[in-house]
Amino acid sequence: MSSLLVDDIAELVTNVAGAGGPLGIRRRAAVLVEDGEVAWVGPAADAPAADRRIDAAGAAVLPGFVDSHAHLVFAGDRAAEFAARMAGEPYTGGGIRTTVGATRAASDNELRATVRRLHAEALRQGTTTIEIKSGYGLTVADEARSLRIATEVSTETTFLGAHVVPAEYAARPDDYVSLVCGPMLAAAAPYARWIDVFCERGAFDADHARAILACGQAMGLGVRVHANQLGPGPGVRLGVELGAASVDHCTHLTDTDVDALASTTTDDGQSATVATLLPGAEFSTRSPYPDARRLLDAGVTVALATDCNPGSSYTSSMPFCIALAVREMGMTPAEAVWAATAGGARALRRDDIGVLRPGARADLIILDAPSHLHLAYRPGVPLVRQVLHNGVPR
Ligand SMILES: [Zn+2]
């Protein structure tokens, strides 16, 4: 078993709460990696011997980012739609059907190439875990193959057959819900850990969303919900009702929604249902940002994710989302970094990632900066110098 020591770390973000604040910051630290896991964390002066050494040279080291919401399986791009929005056209979500057409027409290898390209792009920017949803196939075969391809790069895969009602079912949405709950779910479930529904006006109402999510739960899938993105609605409360790991977007919340999320708080002080905020979507649709401050002040656990997709948020950059969250959503840099690492892990109900402690996965990033503050302080700058994924330098 070979060991690797990451040494001379000026600031180590562990996310182990304690003396180092919520980020569990240690100064002048080192991390020993063995067999893909963190084996030891401590002062650089006490670092044990190792077979190999990486000199962080006074840089900051963080857990790899956990992007808990992304749509990487698709074909085509919608740059023209983006340009039209920036010229004043509103975003309605209707462009999803454009991507559905392109995705159905694509070969497996075309879809695979896009997934691998975006996965590699995210990894270069420090994302060591990425959740990947289906949702641009919307047939039994296309949803199943989307998830099968997603499992080639991630274990965090989500069946989103209920993204929109496809055009051929527009006049009979009940029939589409039956398809999703029946043959489509049966074909998708072997490749999925989660089920998700776009619960929004123009997509799926509360009754349809509840029926679909309950079918997924009965097949052993965990629940996530696209909720309250385009306007107020039932999605957040439905997610809480069903014990969702995360409700995502949360742009338009009532006090009742916030109270419902806060009511899921557990003994460790985190809410069982996480509010995952996706500021890339508001950026790319020129919409008002969600109010992270309000959620945090109510005691709700917040995660940040990219929502990477070709329509409403074509970014794979977690540092960009951190910068937006700090500048536009009332988060401190520490809160945003926590939300992009430990928060994402919580949204995926994982305790082996988003944290650097013995036994955790050795997913970590070395910045070209002395502090995590630089992720928001120096927006748009490629600050991730090196990534270790499962202990392997990339
Ligand atoms: Zn999404």
Side-chain angles (χ1 to χ4, degrees):
M1 184 168 64
S2 90
S3 57
L4 170 64
L5 185 72
V6 183
D7 203 1
D8 193 16
I9 301 167
E11 179 192 272
L12 176 67
V13 172
T14 66
N15 286 337
V16 177
L23 290 182
I25 289 176
R26 287 170 167 265
R27 310 278 173 196
R28 291 174 292 284
V31 175
L32 182 71
V33 172
E34 280 177 356
D35 213 19
E37 290 186 357
V38 175
W40 177 89
V41 174
D46 300 342
D51 302 325
R52 286 178 300 151
R53 179 172 175 269
I54 292 177
D55 184 355
V61 170
L62 287 73
F65 299 122
V66 179
D67 185 352
S68 60
H69 185 137
H71 308 250
L72 305 189
V73 194
F74 63 85
D77 86 34
R78 282 152 58 193
E81 183 189 311
F82 174 78
R85 273 203 307 278
M86 294 305 108
E89 288 184 20
Y91 175 67
T92 60
I96 291 170
R97 291 193 180 88
T98 307
T99 301
V100 170
T103 303
R104 287 175 176 176
S107 69
D108 286 9
N109 278 339
E110 285 169 319
L111 296 179
R112 180 173 288 120
T114 297
V115 168
R116 296 200 167 184
R117 174 175 62 81
L118 293 172
H119 181 260
E121 181 182 283
L123 187 63
R124 281 199 301 279
Q125 299 169 92
T127 298
T128 47
T129 302
I130 190 162
E131 182 258 19
I132 303 176
K133 301 175 195 299
S134 66
Y136 293 118
L138 310 186
T139 66
V140 172
D142 287 312
E143 286 296 297
R145 75 168 176 148
S146 295
L147 287 162
R148 180 167 42 76
I149 290 166
T151 59
E152 294 172 8
V153 298
S154 181
T155 57
E156 298 293 347
T157 51
T158 301
F159 171 47
L160 181 60
H163 199 182
V164 291
V165 175
E168 65 272 23
Y169 280 91
R172 44 194 184 106
D174 289 349
D175 289 352
Y176 185 66
V177 172
S178 298
L179 177 72
V180 171
C181 287
M184 195 183 284
L185 174 62
Y191 306 108
R193 180 170 181 228
W194 304 97
I195 186 165
D196 192 346
V197 171
F198 190 21
C199 183
E200 198 81 41
R201 194 169 299 149
F204 295 86
D205 65 19
D207 289 342
H208 281 161
R210 182 184 288 106
I212 292 163
L213 293 170
C215 290
Q217 278 182 313
M219 293 282 281
L221 304 184
V223 170
R224 335 184 60 76
V225 187
H226 277 70
N228 303 57
Q229 176 188 4
L230 305 177
V236 166
R237 276 164 283 144
L238 178 64
V240 170
E241 173 193 322
L242 295 176
S246 180
V247 288
D248 297 32
H249 284 290
C250 294
T251 310
H252 297 272
L253 299 183
T254 63
D255 289 345
T256 310
D257 297 325
V258 176
D259 290 347
L261 286 166
S263 76
T264 71
T265 300
T266 59
D267 290 344
D268 66 1
Q270 306 294 334
S271 51
T273 300
V274 172
T276 299
L277 309 182
L278 311 166
E282 280 76 30
F283 177 89
S284 299
T285 59
R286 196 176 275 155
S287 303
Y289 289 92
D291 185 350
R293 188 77 263 143
R294 179 185 181 201
L295 288 161
L296 290 164
D297 288 348
V300 177
T301 301
V302 170
L304 288 171
T306 63
D307 197 17
C308 184
N309 78 83
S312 58
S313 182
Y314 201 7
T315 181
S316 56
S317 171
M318 291 293 280
F320 175 61
C321 294
I322 289 170
L324 287 179
V326 171
R327 176 61 180 83
E328 304 288 348
M329 290 155 56
M331 297 180 86
T332 67
E335 287 167 339
V337 166
W338 192 94
T341 51
R346 181 83 181 184
L348 294 171
R349 301 235 162 123
R350 295 274 298 268
D351 59 11
D352 60 328
I353 55 176
V355 62
L356 294 176
R357 54 157 175 76
R361 257 175 50 182
D363 289 349
L364 56 90
I365 57 180
I366 303 172
L367 298 187
D368 257 329
S371 155
H372 70 280
L373 297 173
H374 284 232
L375 289 165
Y377 172 49
R378 305 199 63 215
V381 177
L383 288 181
V384 177
R385 179 197 302 167
Q386 187 162 24
V387 180
L388 265 68
H389 187 215
N390 289 321
V392 179
R394 300 299 181 120

